[in-house]
Amino acid sequence: MAATAPVTAAAIETRAAAVFAAEPTPEHRRAAEDLVAERFGILDRTDRPEAWIAVREPADVAEDVARALAARASGQDMPLAGTLFAVKNNIDVAGLATTAGCPAFGYEPARDAVAVRRLREAGAVVLGATNLDQFATGLVGTRSPYGAVRHAEDPTRISGGSSSGSGVAVALGIVDVALGTDTAGSGRVPAALHGLYGVKPTKGLVPTTGVVPACRSQDVVTTLARDLRLARLAADFMTGPDDGDARSRVPVPSRPARLDRVVGYATAEQLGELAPGWADAYAAAVRRLEDRGFRAVPLDVAPFLAAASLLYDGAFVAERYAAVGPFVDAHPDEVDPTVGGIIAAAGRIPAHRVFADQESLDGCLRLARSVFARIDALVLPTTTFHPTLEQVAADPVAANSRMGRFTNFVNLLDLCALAVPAGRVDGLPFGVQLVGDTFEDDRLVDVAREGGFDEGGPDGD
């Protein structure tokens, strides 16, 4: 089943006017107050204050929910009315300071990021802004002066990042959906570690207007949710070009569906080191697809892994310096040491290395295109292990690098991806990702549904 078509600008304006003009009835206000009281009760009980950088006043949230419900009741098309969402704090929300995980960098945005505005205009309501690895630099969720974000189920383990607070807020049931960003896996990793769906659209489909850049040419706004339909629906409402983002684009029609359904997978030799039990859980996920009628073929994933290594170990990391390097240089004491070290080193990369790495990437891209001509999706583990806070503190760079083995290449190769739950191992969630060719976002949803991944995963305990 294909995803919902992007909404038009005229429809967005109509919805916005309807939300602001709607007058809630007492029933709408009671429903909104009950919903907000329930969610703030969960927030208070679950003891993850470090997941949040800012939380709106409950009364303000309830008023917005009531108006959205009233607009829907009046006949307006408000499919997200009654939906609460959280926003990673490198994405602008009017009325909340944007810090990107660095208080000294903080500013007061004059307006919502385009992605936020489009969700609000479909009836969704912002509950608050979530913590992140500073400047979205990390996959661990611990690199923030607002605190290391603990996993929703096991507080001794990391949440995954950099969209750390967003993952925890959804996993705990505080919000229905959350926005993250994903440059190297920052939306998919916390989704996988929490048993969530993480939609990483093709680059440019969701504008990054109003997003603090990490690597501007590689950044993608993502959604995390416990429900596949909601995760995809929220992404659909955010989709569409915007004049503020020169890289935003419209999707091209996808190639016709294959008569046979084919997925590719990595052999045991190419998986590398995974956490105990994860290789078996991955094999079970591939078998699940086969049981549902897919033909699974082993693939050489070396070109993808080679591309992945270019993101941090090559010259492309210099784009992180282009984004925030001057600020980091001017405020060394205000920046996380690990983040500051990565960004400062990126500023010393010579320009000729970028062109050399681009040539290497072009070779990887050619091989990747030949792979996706033969398959509907590539199935891979989303990440490689789920470390404790102590493990990451002992070796933060190596742990982070290991976690991005299967995520770092996706944006560099202009691919889309969907993180899906695939069971539990040793009592904690395990997830895989479906990776697709450019603009094949809808096809990944179809593969997930037809493969049974919209039903979660088998117990791997």
Side-chain angles (χ1 to χ4, degrees), residues 5-17 114 117-118 121-122 236-243 250:
V7 289
T8 65
I12 288 174
E13 291 175 3
T14 299
R15 289 183 179 131
V114 167
R117 175 173 60 84
R118 289 176 175 176
E121 290 164 350
D236 288 338
F237 276 110
M238 298 188 301
T239 294
D242 178 73
D243 290 343
V250 297

Side-chain angles (χ1 to χ4, degrees), residues 115-143:
V116 173
R117 175 173 60 84
R118 289 176 175 176
L119 290 183
R120 278 180 152 169
E121 290 164 350
V125 173
V126 176
L127 187 143
T130 50
N131 199 359
L132 67 153
D133 284 306
Q134 194 173 76
F135 297 119
T137 302
L139 295 174
V140 289
T142 64
R143 303 170 176 177

Side-chain angles (χ1 to χ4, degrees), residues 345-362:
R348 298 190 290 271
I349 295 174
H352 66 82
R353 281 193 59 196
V354 176
F355 292 97
D357 282 0
Q358 184 61 60
E359 184 174 357
S360 298
L361 183 62
D362 289 343

Side-chain angles (χ1 to χ4, degrees), residues 91 113-118 202-211 219-222 235 237-249:
I91 303 173
V114 167
V116 173
R117 175 173 60 84
R118 289 176 175 176
T202 296
K203 285 190 300 185
L205 291 186
V206 178
T208 56
T209 312
V211 178
D219 294 340
V220 176
V221 178
T222 67
F237 276 110
M238 298 188 301
T239 294
D242 178 73
D243 290 343
D245 179 3
R247 291 185 172 87
S248 63
R249 51 185 175 170

Side-chain angles (χ1 to χ4, degrees), residues 124-200:
V125 173
V126 176
L127 187 143
T130 50
N131 199 359
L132 67 153
D133 284 306
Q134 194 173 76
F135 297 119
T137 302
L139 295 174
V140 289
T142 64
R143 303 170 176 177
S144 172
Y146 296 96
V149 182
R150 297 167 290 166
H151 189 262
E153 297 184 37
D154 183 349
T156 70
R157 294 180 186 266
I158 65 166
S159 60
S162 62
S163 307
S164 51
S166 289
V168 169
V170 174
L172 292 175
I174 299 167
V175 294
D176 303 294
V177 64
L179 299 190
T181 58
D182 190 316
T183 303
S186 288
R188 288 164 284 159
V189 167
L193 295 183
H194 285 99
L196 306 175
Y197 295 95
V199 174
K200 202 293 299 176

Side-chain angles (χ1 to χ4, degrees), residues 41-55:
I42 296 172
L43 189 153
D44 290 339
R45 292 193 303 272
T46 49
D47 186 36
R48 293 294 185 279
E50 76 279 1
W52 300 90
I53 290 178
V55 177

Side-chain angles (χ1 to χ4, degrees), residues 383-409:
T383 187
T384 60
F385 76 135
H386 189 177
T388 64
L389 295 165
E390 289 185 357
Q391 286 176 300
V392 171
D395 197 351
V397 174
N400 192 89
S401 178
R402 182 179 169 189
M403 294 191 76
R405 174 176 172 82
F406 298 117
T407 56
N408 287 356
F409 69 82

Side-chain angles (χ1 to χ4, degrees), residues 69-92:
L69 294 175
R72 183 172 64 185
S74 71
Q76 298 298 325
D77 184 14
M78 288 283 157
L80 296 181
T83 299
L84 297 181
F85 73 107
V87 182
K88 185 177 182 179
N89 199 222
N90 62 338
I91 303 173
D92 288 346

